[in-house]
Coordinates of all heavy atoms in Angstrom, one line a residue:
K40 N -23.7 5.5 5.8 CA -23.9 4.4 4.8 C -24.4 3.2 5.4 O -24.0 2.9 6.6 CB -22.6 4.2 4.0 CG -22.1 5.4 3.3 CD -20.7 5.0 2.7 CE -20.1 6.2 1.9 NZ -18.7 5.9 1.4
P41 N -25.1 2.4 4.8 CA -25.5 1.1 5.3 C -24.3 0.2 5.4 O -23.3 0.4 4.6 CB -26.5 0.5 4.4 CG -26.2 1.2 3.1 CD -25.7 2.6 3.4
L43 N -21.7 -2.9 4.7 CA -21.4 -3.5 3.4 C -22.2 -4.9 3.2 O -22.5 -5.3 2.1 CB -19.9 -3.8 3.2 CG -19.0 -2.5 3.1 CD1 -17.6 -2.9 2.9 CD2 -19.5 -1.6 2.0
E390 N -11.7 10.9 7.6 CA -12.6 9.8 7.3 C -11.9 8.5 7.8 O -12.6 7.5 8.2 CB -12.9 9.7 5.8 CG -14.0 8.7 5.5 CD -14.3 8.6 4.0 OE1 -13.4 8.9 3.2 OE2 -15.4 8.4 3.7
M391 N -10.6 8.4 7.6 CA -9.9 7.1 8.0 C -9.9 6.8 9.5 O -9.8 5.7 9.9 CB -8.5 7.2 7.5 CG -8.4 7.2 5.9 SD -9.2 5.8 5.1 CE -10.7 6.4 4.6
E393 N -12.5 6.7 11.1 CA -13.7 5.9 11.4 C -13.4 4.4 11.2 O -14.2 3.6 11.7 CB -14.8 6.3 10.4 CG -15.3 7.8 10.5 CD -16.4 8.1 9.5 OE1 -17.2 7.2 9.2 OE2 -16.5 9.2 9.1
I394 N -12.4 4.0 10.5 CA -12.2 2.6 10.3 C -10.9 2.1 10.9 O -10.5 0.9 10.6 CB -12.2 2.3 8.8 CG1 -11.1 3.1 8.0 CG2 -13.5 2.6 8.2 CD1 -10.9 2.6 6.6
A420 N -14.9 -2.4 11.3 CA -15.3 -1.0 11.1 C -15.6 -0.7 9.6 O -16.4 0.1 9.3 CB -14.2 -0.1 11.6
V421 N -14.8 -1.3 8.7 CA -15.0 -1.1 7.3 C -16.4 -1.7 6.9 O -17.2 -1.1 6.2 CB -13.9 -1.8 6.4 CG1 -14.3 -1.8 4.9 CG2 -12.6 -1.2 6.7
I422 N -16.7 -2.9 7.4 CA -18.0 -3.5 7.1 C -19.2 -2.7 7.7 O -20.2 -2.4 7.0 CB -18.0 -4.9 7.7 CG1 -17.0 -5.8 7.0 CG2 -19.5 -5.5 7.6 CD1 -17.3 -6.0 5.5
R423 N -19.0 -2.2 8.9 CA -20.1 -1.5 9.6 C -20.3 -0.1 9.0 O -21.5 0.3 8.9 CB -19.7 -1.4 11.1 CG -20.8 -0.7 12.0 CD -20.4 -0.9 13.4 NE -19.1 -0.5 13.7 CZ -18.4 -0.9 14.7 NH1 -18.9 -1.8 15.6 NH2 -17.1 -0.5 14.9
S424 N -19.2 0.6 8.6 CA -19.4 2.0 8.2 C -19.6 2.1 6.7 O -20.1 3.1 6.2 CB -18.1 2.8 8.6 OG -17.0 2.3 7.9
G425 N -19.1 1.1 5.9 CA -19.1 1.2 4.5 C -18.0 2.1 3.9 O -18.0 2.4 2.7
V426 N -17.1 2.6 4.8 CA -16.0 3.4 4.4 C -14.8 2.5 4.0 O -14.4 1.7 4.8 CB -15.6 4.4 5.6 CG1 -14.3 5.1 5.2 CG2 -16.7 5.3 5.9
L427 N -14.3 2.7 2.8 CA -13.2 2.0 2.3 C -11.9 2.8 2.4 O -11.9 4.0 2.3 CB -13.4 1.6 0.8 CG -14.6 0.6 0.6 CD1 -15.0 0.6 -0.9 CD2 -14.3 -0.8 1.1
P428 N -10.8 2.1 2.7 CA -9.5 2.8 2.8 C -9.2 3.7 1.6 O -9.5 3.3 0.5 CB -8.5 1.7 3.0 CG -9.2 0.5 3.5 CD -10.6 0.6 2.9
V429 N -8.6 4.8 1.8 CA -8.2 5.7 0.7 C -6.7 5.5 0.4 O -5.9 5.4 1.4 CB -8.5 7.2 1.1 CG1 -7.7 7.7 2.3 CG2 -8.2 8.1 -0.1
R450 N -9.8 3.5 -4.3 CA -10.3 2.8 -3.1 C -10.3 1.3 -3.5 O -10.5 0.9 -4.7 CB -11.7 3.2 -2.8 CG -11.9 4.7 -2.5 CD -11.9 5.0 -1.1 NE -12.1 6.5 -0.9 CZ -12.4 7.0 0.3 NH1 -12.4 6.3 1.4 NH2 -12.6 8.3 0.4
F456 N -13.3 -7.0 1.3 CA -13.6 -6.9 2.7 C -14.9 -7.8 3.1 O -14.9 -8.3 4.2 CB -13.9 -5.4 3.1 CG -12.7 -4.6 2.9 CD1 -12.3 -4.0 1.7 CD2 -11.8 -4.4 4.0 CE1 -11.2 -3.3 1.6 CE2 -10.6 -3.7 3.8 CZ -10.3 -3.1 2.6

Side-chain angles (χ1 to χ4, degrees):
K40 296 177 183 176
L43 293 183
E390 188 181 34
M391 293 302 98
E393 296 183 32
I394 60 171
V421 174
I422 294 296
R423 184 169 49 203
S424 68
V426 173
L427 295 164
V429 62
R450 306 262 183 168
F456 296 89

